Amino acid sequence: MESSDAVVQGTSNDAAVSRESAARLGYIDDPFIRHFVKRPLRRAPLINRGTHSRFDGVQRILRQFIKQTQKDSQGHACGQIVVLGAGMDTSYFLLRQQGLLPRRYFEIDFSDITAKKAATVYRSSALRALLPEDTVVAEGGSELHSAEYSLLGGDLRQFESQVVPKLMARGFDCSEPTLFLSECVLIYLDPQHSDAILNWITANVAHAGILTYEQILPTDRFGQMMIENLRARGLELRGLHAYPTLQSNSQRFLDLGWHSAVAVDLATYHEQLLEPLERERLAKIEFLDEWEEFILLAQHYAFTFAFTSQSSHFAHMDIEKPN
């Protein structure tokens, strides 16, 4: 029987398969995700549509942050991005290909996952060519280190004792504006562990922002079915009942004294925050006849964007506005 850690680690492969399906069919523009998927599958139209909205929201915030931090007073790139539970995410390579990068970009995940990611990157000439010239392989092949990009192995349940020292050793600067990204990661942690991460950020990073993407609404019929289906696979959404609604997800950050927090579910994002022309384009890719099921599914996933201070870097960022 697989350990609970191994089952959770397997969700990174599920997310990559869904992203590869959406990319191959033309929902999203990601030429790199195929390198991380050994057995491609064609997901159902409602899953592809949801993957598009998830991808669009994350890329929206990443690009807004880079636009706000690309130049400091001396004209140099500034700012940091930290991806918690990065899995096989390709955002670094997408941004680097377009010349859109902060000063430092960190990815963190279990060492077993980072080892697989590092090996995949080095097997692919397209990915390897995008690594900074000073990149070195470290920790027996499970990490990649450079001044700009670091892929780090670590257990988020031991954030302050295990992850923070690795970040600091790779040049993390608590005084720089920093965007944290967490997609379906914090929710798999016991609240005491996810709260510890947020408490550390609150206490130590002067200008911090975060974008989370998590499941919500565990108590209605669909939410109960979602939990049962995940539990049958050995997956437990440990943080879901502590932060079950849009309001509780945003209030979580306000209670820590953060300046602003806004939560929006994926259905609202798709219906109100995507450009009408983009929705028209998506409709031409595949016919979505499970429309009510898609909306129901999308209502159970949510973005939360929050930031700690009214600095110029975050004041002009908003999950509810285009890039």
Side-chain angles (χ1 to χ4, degrees), residues 110-126:
F110 287 110
S111 294
D112 287 349
I113 290 179
T114 59
K116 292 175 184 176
K117 187 168 193 175
T120 300
V121 169
Y122 268 87
R123 280 197 303 268
S124 164
S125 58

Side-chain angles (χ1 to χ4, degrees), residues 11-26:
T11 62
S12 70
N13 183 64
D14 293 340
V17 169
S18 294
R19 188 150 159 172
E20 190 279 333
S21 173
R24 177 161 33 90
L25 294 171

Side-chain angles (χ1 to χ4, degrees), residues 142-207:
S142 66
E143 297 191 356
L144 300 177
H145 295 173
S146 73
E148 175 188 277
Y149 170 70
S150 293
L151 174 65
L152 304 174
D155 187 337
L156 293 174
R157 292 168 299 190
Q158 301 174 47
F159 188 75
E160 188 165 359
S161 63
Q162 186 181 113
V163 175
V164 170
K166 288 195 172 190
L167 286 170
M168 296 301 184
R170 298 308 317 149
F172 183 87
D173 186 343
C174 290
S175 68
E176 285 208 18
T178 304
L179 175 67
F180 292 84
L181 175 63
S182 171
E183 297 183 65
C184 294
V185 172
L186 296 183
I187 202 161
Y188 284 108
L189 303 177
D190 285 323
Q192 69 189 68
H193 293 129
S194 59
D195 287 345
I197 294 172
L198 300 182
N199 288 335
W200 186 89
I201 294 170
T202 304
N204 293 280
V205 184
H207 305 291

Side-chain angles (χ1 to χ4, degrees), residues 245-250 261-265 302-305 319-320:
T245 63
L246 291 174
Q247 195 275 335
S248 62
N249 271 271
S250 59
V262 175
V264 58
D265 66 49
F303 293 113
T304 303
F305 176 63
I319 188 66
E320 297 179 322

Side-chain angles (χ1 to χ4, degrees), residues 293-311:
E293 186 179 352
F294 167 71
I295 293 299
L296 188 59
L297 173 69
Q299 287 171 340
H300 287 75
Y301 287 82
F303 293 113
T304 303
F305 176 63
F307 53 91
T308 58
S309 66
Q310 182 72 352
S311 71

